[in-house]
Amino acid sequence: MSDSPVQKYNTLTVTQVHSNVDQEVIEITEDKLSLILKDYVQDISSRKEWVSPFSVLLTIAILQCTANFKDRFGIPADTWNALFIFTGMASLIWLIIVLVKMKKAVSIDELLKTIKNIE
């Protein structure tokens, strides 16, 4: 062995090596991690709940713009029109409720803080 600090690796001369491999270990029980991840998945899936009420509202709005209601099944045309107006209003209220309840997206850093039990 030589006393030289220089080592050869495949024709590459390495004069100094810096190590940055410190690790942080998180200890957590399986059931607690499972609950945290279930909440996270539920938060992610709840971010898509606006699609259903918006789709119903859009369908009703298009229907109101294009349809000519007629007397059918013993129900007058004006009643059909009112029924669809009330359905549209109900879906609008549903959409507003879903949008108000919608949480902001949780970042990976926030998820890690929850797992680490850092408030």
Side-chain angles (χ1 to χ4, degrees), residues 58-110:
L58 183 63
T59 302
I60 298 287
I62 291 171
L63 181 120
Q64 283 293 97
C65 293
T66 60
N68 291 324
F69 294 102
K70 298 180 181 175
D71 296 348
R72 294 277 185 216
F73 309 113
I75 301 174
D78 290 338
T79 304
W80 282 114
N81 191 23
L83 177 68
F84 281 97
I85 289 172
F86 287 129
T87 305
M89 289 189 323
S91 62
L92 177 63
I93 292 168
W94 180 22
L95 177 62
I96 291 170
I97 291 170
V98 167
L99 290 176
V100 167
K101 289 169 98 176
M102 191 166 49
K103 297 178 183 177
K104 74 175 186 92
V106 176
S107 69
I108 296 296
D109 291 334
E110 291 169 339

Coordinates of all heavy atoms in Angstrom, one line a residue, residues 58-110:
L58 N -74.5 21.2 -14.6 CA -74.3 21.5 -16.0 C -75.3 20.9 -17.0 O -75.8 21.5 -17.9 CB -72.9 21.1 -16.4 CG -72.4 21.4 -17.8 CD1 -72.3 22.9 -18.1 CD2 -71.0 20.7 -18.1
T59 N -75.7 19.6 -16.7 CA -76.7 18.9 -17.4 C -78.0 19.6 -17.4 O -78.7 19.8 -18.4 CB -76.8 17.5 -17.0 OG1 -75.5 16.9 -17.1 CG2 -77.8 16.7 -17.8
I60 N -78.4 20.0 -16.2 CA -79.7 20.7 -16.0 C -79.7 22.1 -16.7 O -80.7 22.5 -17.3 CB -80.0 20.9 -14.5 CG1 -80.1 19.6 -13.8 CG2 -81.2 21.8 -14.3 CD1 -81.4 18.8 -14.1
A61 N -78.5 22.8 -16.6 CA -78.4 24.1 -17.3 C -78.6 23.9 -18.8 O -79.3 24.7 -19.5 CB -77.1 24.8 -16.9
I62 N -77.9 22.9 -19.4 CA -78.0 22.7 -20.8 C -79.4 22.3 -21.2 O -80.0 22.8 -22.2 CB -77.0 21.6 -21.3 CG1 -75.6 22.2 -21.2 CG2 -77.3 21.1 -22.7 CD1 -74.5 21.1 -21.3
L63 N -80.0 21.4 -20.3 CA -81.4 21.0 -20.6 C -82.4 22.2 -20.6 O -83.2 22.3 -21.4 CB -81.8 20.0 -19.5 CG -83.2 19.4 -19.7 CD1 -83.2 17.9 -19.9 CD2 -84.0 19.8 -18.5
Q64 N -82.2 23.1 -19.6 CA -83.1 24.3 -19.5 C -82.9 25.2 -20.7 O -83.9 25.8 -21.2 CB -82.7 25.1 -18.3 CG -83.3 24.5 -17.0 CD -84.8 24.5 -16.9 OE1 -85.4 23.5 -17.3 NE2 -85.4 25.6 -16.6
C65 N -81.7 25.2 -21.3 CA -81.5 26.1 -22.5 C -82.1 25.5 -23.8 O -82.4 26.2 -24.7 CB -80.0 26.4 -22.6 SG -79.3 27.4 -21.3
T66 N -82.1 24.2 -23.8 CA -82.5 23.5 -25.1 C -83.8 22.8 -25.1 O -84.3 22.5 -26.2 CB -81.4 22.5 -25.4 OG1 -81.3 21.5 -24.4 CG2 -80.0 23.2 -25.6
A67 N -84.4 22.5 -24.0 CA -85.6 21.7 -24.0 C -86.9 22.5 -24.1 O -87.0 23.6 -23.7 CB -85.7 20.9 -22.7
N68 N -87.9 21.9 -24.8 CA -89.2 22.4 -24.8 C -90.1 21.3 -24.1 O -90.3 20.2 -24.6 CB -89.7 22.5 -26.3 CG -89.0 23.6 -27.0 OD1 -88.7 24.6 -26.4 ND2 -88.8 23.4 -28.3
F69 N -90.5 21.7 -22.9 CA -91.2 20.7 -22.1 C -92.7 20.6 -22.6 O -93.3 21.6 -23.0 CB -91.3 21.2 -20.6 CG -89.9 21.2 -20.0 CD1 -89.2 22.3 -19.8 CD2 -89.3 20.0 -19.5 CE1 -87.9 22.3 -19.2 CE2 -88.1 19.9 -19.0 CZ -87.4 21.1 -18.8
K70 N -93.2 19.4 -22.5 CA -94.5 19.1 -23.0 C -95.2 18.3 -21.9 O -94.6 17.8 -21.0 CB -94.5 18.3 -24.3 CG -93.8 19.0 -25.4 CD -93.8 18.1 -26.7 CE -93.1 18.9 -27.8 NZ -92.9 18.1 -29.0
D71 N -96.6 18.3 -22.0 CA -97.3 17.5 -21.0 C -97.1 16.0 -21.3 O -97.2 15.5 -22.4 CB -98.8 17.8 -21.2 CG -99.2 19.3 -20.9 OD1 -98.4 20.0 -20.4 OD2 -100.3 19.7 -21.2
R72 N -96.6 15.4 -20.2 CA -96.3 13.9 -20.3 C -96.7 13.3 -19.0 O -96.6 13.9 -17.9 CB -94.8 13.7 -20.5 CG -94.3 14.1 -21.8 CD -94.5 13.1 -22.9 NE -93.8 13.6 -24.1 CZ -94.3 13.4 -25.3 NH1 -95.4 12.8 -25.5 NH2 -93.7 13.9 -26.3
F73 N -97.2 12.1 -19.1 CA -97.6 11.2 -18.0 C -98.6 12.0 -17.1 O -98.6 11.8 -15.8 CB -96.4 10.8 -17.2 CG -95.3 10.2 -18.0 CD1 -94.1 10.8 -18.2 CD2 -95.5 9.0 -18.6 CE1 -93.1 10.2 -19.0 CE2 -94.5 8.4 -19.4 CZ -93.3 9.0 -19.6
G74 N -99.4 12.8 -17.6 CA -100.4 13.5 -16.9 C -99.8 14.7 -16.1 O -100.5 15.3 -15.2
I75 N -98.6 15.1 -16.3 CA -97.9 16.2 -15.7 C -97.8 17.3 -16.6 O -97.2 17.2 -17.7 CB -96.6 15.8 -15.1 CG1 -96.7 14.6 -14.1 CG2 -95.9 16.9 -14.4 CD1 -95.4 14.0 -13.6
P76 N -98.2 18.6 -16.3 CA -98.2 19.7 -17.2 C -96.7 20.1 -17.5 O -95.8 19.9 -16.7 CB -98.9 20.8 -16.5 CG -99.6 20.2 -15.3 CD -99.0 18.9 -15.1
A77 N -96.5 20.8 -18.6 CA -95.2 21.2 -19.0 C -94.5 22.1 -18.0 O -93.3 22.1 -17.7 CB -95.3 21.9 -20.4
D78 N -95.3 23.0 -17.4 CA -94.8 24.0 -16.5 C -94.3 23.3 -15.2 O -93.3 23.7 -14.6 CB -95.9 25.0 -16.1 CG -96.2 26.0 -17.2 OD1 -95.3 26.1 -18.1 OD2 -97.2 26.6 -17.2
T79 N -94.9 22.2 -14.8 CA -94.5 21.4 -13.7 C -93.2 20.7 -14.0 O -92.3 20.7 -13.1 CB -95.6 20.4 -13.3 OG1 -96.8 21.0 -13.1 CG2 -95.2 19.6 -12.1
W80 N -93.0 20.2 -15.2 CA -91.7 19.6 -15.6 C -90.6 20.6 -15.5 O -89.5 20.4 -15.0 CB -91.8 19.0 -17.0 CG -92.5 17.7 -17.1 CD1 -93.7 17.4 -17.7 CD2 -92.0 16.4 -16.6 NE1 -94.0 16.1 -17.6 CE2 -93.0 15.5 -16.9 CE3 -90.9 16.1 -15.8 CZ2 -92.9 14.1 -16.5 CZ3 -90.8 14.7 -15.5 CH2 -91.8 13.8 -15.8
N81 N -90.9 21.8 -16.0 CA -89.9 22.9 -16.0 C -89.5 23.3 -14.6 O -88.4 23.4 -14.3 CB -90.5 24.1 -16.8 CG -89.4 25.2 -17.0 OD1 -88.3 24.9 -17.0 ND2 -89.9 26.4 -17.2
A82 N -90.5 23.4 -13.7 CA -90.3 23.7 -12.3 C -89.5 22.6 -11.6 O -88.6 22.9 -10.8 CB -91.6 24.0 -11.6
L83 N -89.8 21.4 -12.0 CA -89.0 20.2 -11.4 C -87.6 20.3 -11.7 O -86.7 20.1 -10.9 CB -89.6 18.9 -11.9 CG -88.9 17.7 -11.4 CD1 -89.1 17.4 -9.9 CD2 -89.5 16.5 -12.2
F84 N -87.3 20.6 -13.0 CA -85.8 20.7 -13.4 C -85.2 22.0 -12.8 O -84.0 21.9 -12.5 CB -85.7 20.6 -14.9 CG -85.8 19.2 -15.4 CD1 -87.0 18.7 -15.9 CD2 -84.7 18.4 -15.4 CE1 -87.1 17.4 -16.3 CE2 -84.8 17.1 -15.8 CZ -86.0 16.6 -16.3
I85 N -85.9 23.0 -12.6 CA -85.3 24.2 -12.0 C -85.0 23.9 -10.5 O -83.9 24.3 -10.1 CB -86.3 25.4 -12.1 CG1 -86.4 25.9 -13.5 CG2 -85.9 26.6 -11.1 CD1 -87.4 27.0 -13.8
F86 N -85.9 23.3 -9.8 CA -85.6 22.9 -8.4 C -84.4 21.9 -8.3 O -83.6 22.0 -7.4 CB -86.8 22.3 -7.7 CG -87.9 23.3 -7.4 CD1 -89.2 23.1 -7.8 CD2 -87.6 24.5 -6.8 CE1 -90.2 24.1 -7.5 CE2 -88.5 25.5 -6.5 CZ -89.8 25.3 -6.9
T87 N -84.3 21.0 -9.3 CA -83.2 20.0 -9.3 C -81.9 20.8 -9.5 O -80.9 20.5 -8.9 CB -83.5 19.0 -10.4 OG1 -84.7 18.3 -10.2 CG2 -82.3 17.9 -10.4
G88 N -81.9 21.7 -10.4 CA -80.7 22.6 -10.7 C -80.3 23.3 -9.5 O -79.1 23.4 -9.2
M89 N -81.3 23.9 -8.8 CA -81.0 24.7 -7.6 C -80.4 23.7 -6.5 O -79.5 24.1 -5.8 CB -82.2 25.4 -7.0 CG -82.6 26.6 -7.9 SD -83.9 27.7 -7.3 CE -85.0 26.6 -6.5
A90 N -81.0 22.6 -6.4 CA -80.5 21.6 -5.4 C -79.1 21.2 -5.7 O -78.2 21.1 -4.8 CB -81.4 20.4 -5.3
S91 N -78.8 21.0 -7.0 CA -77.4 20.6 -7.3 C -76.4 21.8 -7.1 O -75.3 21.6 -6.8 CB -77.3 20.1 -8.7 OG -77.7 21.0 -9.7
L92 N -76.9 23.0 -7.3 CA -76.1 24.2 -7.0 C -75.8 24.3 -5.6 O -74.6 24.5 -5.2 CB -76.8 25.4 -7.5 CG -76.0 26.8 -7.2 CD1 -74.7 26.8 -8.0 CD2 -76.9 27.9 -7.6
I93 N -76.7 24.0 -4.7 CA -76.5 24.1 -3.3 C -75.6 22.9 -2.9 O -74.6 23.2 -2.1 CB -77.9 23.9 -2.5 CG1 -78.7 25.2 -2.7 CG2 -77.7 23.7 -1.0 CD1 -80.1 25.1 -2.3
W94 N -75.7 21.8 -3.5 CA -74.8 20.6 -3.2 C -73.4 21.0 -3.6 O -72.5 20.7 -2.9 CB -75.4 19.4 -4.0 CG -74.6 18.1 -3.9 CD1 -73.7 17.8 -2.9 CD2 -74.6 17.1 -4.8 NE1 -73.2 16.5 -3.1 CE2 -73.8 16.1 -4.3 CE3 -75.3 16.8 -6.0 CZ2 -73.6 14.9 -5.0 CZ3 -75.1 15.6 -6.6 CH2 -74.2 14.7 -6.1
L95 N -73.2 21.6 -4.8 CA -71.9 22.0 -5.2 C -71.3 23.0 -4.3 O -70.1 22.9 -3.9 CB -72.0 22.6 -6.6 CG -70.7 23.1 -7.2 CD1 -69.7 22.0 -7.4 CD2 -71.0 23.8 -8.6
I96 N -72.1 24.0 -3.8 CA -71.5 25.0 -2.9 C -71.1 24.3 -1.6 O -70.0 24.6 -1.1 CB -72.6 26.1 -2.6 CG1 -72.7 26.9 -3.9 CG2 -72.2 27.0 -1.5 CD1 -73.9 27.9 -3.9
I97 N -71.9 23.4 -1.1 CA -71.5 22.7 0.2 C -70.2 21.9 0.0 O -69.4 22.0 0.9 CB -72.7 21.8 0.6 CG1 -73.9 22.7 1.1 CG2 -72.3 20.8 1.7 CD1 -75.1 21.9 1.3
V98 N -70.1 21.2 -1.1 CA -68.9 20.4 -1.4 C -67.7 21.3 -1.5 O -66.6 21.0 -0.9 CB -69.1 19.6 -2.6 CG1 -67.8 19.0 -3.1 CG2 -70.1 18.5 -2.4
L99 N -67.8 22.5 -2.2 CA -66.7 23.4 -2.3 C -66.3 24.0 -1.0 O -65.1 24.2 -0.8 CB -67.0 24.5 -3.4 CG -67.1 24.0 -4.8 CD1 -67.6 25.1 -5.7 CD2 -65.8 23.4 -5.3
V100 N -67.3 24.3 -0.2 CA -66.9 24.9 1.1 C -66.2 23.9 2.0 O -65.3 24.2 2.7 CB -68.2 25.4 1.8 CG1 -68.0 25.8 3.3 CG2 -68.8 26.7 1.1
K101 N -66.7 22.6 2.0 CA -66.1 21.6 2.8 C -64.7 21.1 2.3 O -64.0 20.5 3.1 CB -67.0 20.4 2.9 CG -68.3 20.6 3.7 CD -69.3 19.5 3.5 CE -69.2 18.5 4.6 NZ -70.2 17.5 4.4
M102 N -64.4 21.4 1.1 CA -63.2 20.9 0.5 C -62.0 21.6 1.2 O -61.9 22.8 1.3 CB -63.1 21.2 -1.0 CG -62.0 20.6 -1.8 SD -62.2 20.6 -3.6 CE -62.6 22.2 -4.0
K103 N -61.1 20.7 1.6 CA -59.8 21.2 2.3 C -58.8 21.4 1.2 O -58.8 20.9 0.1 CB -59.3 20.1 3.2 CG -60.2 19.8 4.4 CD -59.6 18.7 5.2 CE -60.5 18.2 6.3 NZ -60.0 17.1 7.1
K104 N -57.8 22.3 1.6 CA -56.7 22.5 0.7 C -55.9 21.2 0.7 O -55.9 20.4 1.7 CB -55.8 23.7 1.2 CG -55.0 23.5 2.4 CD -54.1 24.7 2.6 CE -53.2 24.5 3.7 NZ -51.9 24.0 3.3
A105 N -55.2 21.0 -0.4 CA -54.4 19.8 -0.5 C -53.3 19.7 0.5 O -52.6 20.7 0.8 CB -53.8 19.7 -1.9
V106 N -53.1 18.5 1.1 CA -52.0 18.3 2.1 C -50.7 17.9 1.3 O -50.7 17.1 0.5 CB -52.4 17.1 3.0 CG1 -51.3 16.8 4.0 CG2 -53.7 17.5 3.8
S107 N -49.7 18.7 1.6 CA -48.4 18.4 1.0 C -47.7 17.2 1.6 O -48.1 16.7 2.7 CB -47.5 19.6 1.0 OG -47.1 19.8 2.4
I108 N -46.7 16.7 0.9 CA -45.9 15.6 1.5 C -45.2 16.0 2.7 O -45.1 15.2 3.7 CB -44.9 15.1 0.4 CG1 -45.6 14.5 -0.8 CG2 -44.0 14.0 1.0 CD1 -46.5 13.3 -0.5
D109 N -44.7 17.2 2.8 CA -44.1 17.7 4.0 C -45.0 17.7 5.2 O -44.7 17.4 6.3 CB -43.5 19.1 3.8 CG -42.3 19.1 2.8 OD1 -41.6 18.0 2.7 OD2 -42.0 20.1 2.2
E110 N -46.3 18.2 4.9 CA -47.3 18.2 6.0 C -47.6 16.8 6.4 O -47.8 16.5 7.6 CB -48.5 18.9 5.6 CG -48.3 20.4 5.4 CD -49.5 21.1 4.7 OE1 -50.3 20.4 4.0 OE2 -49.6 22.3 4.8

